[in-house]
Amino acid sequence: MKILPHRDNMLLVDEAEIKTDEKSGEPVSHGKYHVRGDEFFLKGHFPGNPVVPGVMLCEMMAQSSCVLLADEVEEGTGTLFSGLKEVKFKNPVKPGDTFESECQIIRRMGPFYFAKGKGYVDGKIAVQAEFSFVLVK
């Protein structure tokens, strides 16, 4: 919560940690969000068959990747989503699922960070994307 400005209803990370990728040696964020079923975005998407909207899955990945900036976020600085590309949705995420993400920063340009990530449920890929965010005061 020190890194992310998000709070109730939009804080979509229950757990996050940094690990080292075994192949590249680069830091990778591992995030988890437990889909309870009472989230605001499930109420109308879709009645009788709730599915987490794809844009919310992307938000979950972006939020979990921000732990990689823990040492760079100063008091009064926050992160804002600035772009998405190469997004692919593979499998639905539903109430009761634990959405797990793996993300890493692939480059930086000034205050902009570019990342890539994948999201899974029970080891099965649900989404993959490249995204960017910016640090702002």
Side-chain angles (χ1 to χ4, degrees), residues 38-50:
D38 63 350
E39 290 87 354
F40 74 93
F41 48 80
L42 290 174
K43 289 184 169 94
H45 196 267
F46 300 98
N49 184 28

Side-chain angles (χ1 to χ4, degrees), residues 49-84:
N49 184 28
V51 176
V52 177
V55 69
M56 300 310 288
L57 297 176
C58 293
E59 178 70 25
M60 290 172 192
M61 287 192 305
Q63 287 186 23
S64 72
S65 69
C66 287
V67 299
L68 295 167
L69 304 179
D71 295 335
E72 298 184 41
V73 175
E74 301 170 4
E75 184 77 29
T77 303
T79 55
L80 292 175
F81 220 158
S82 60
L84 274 171

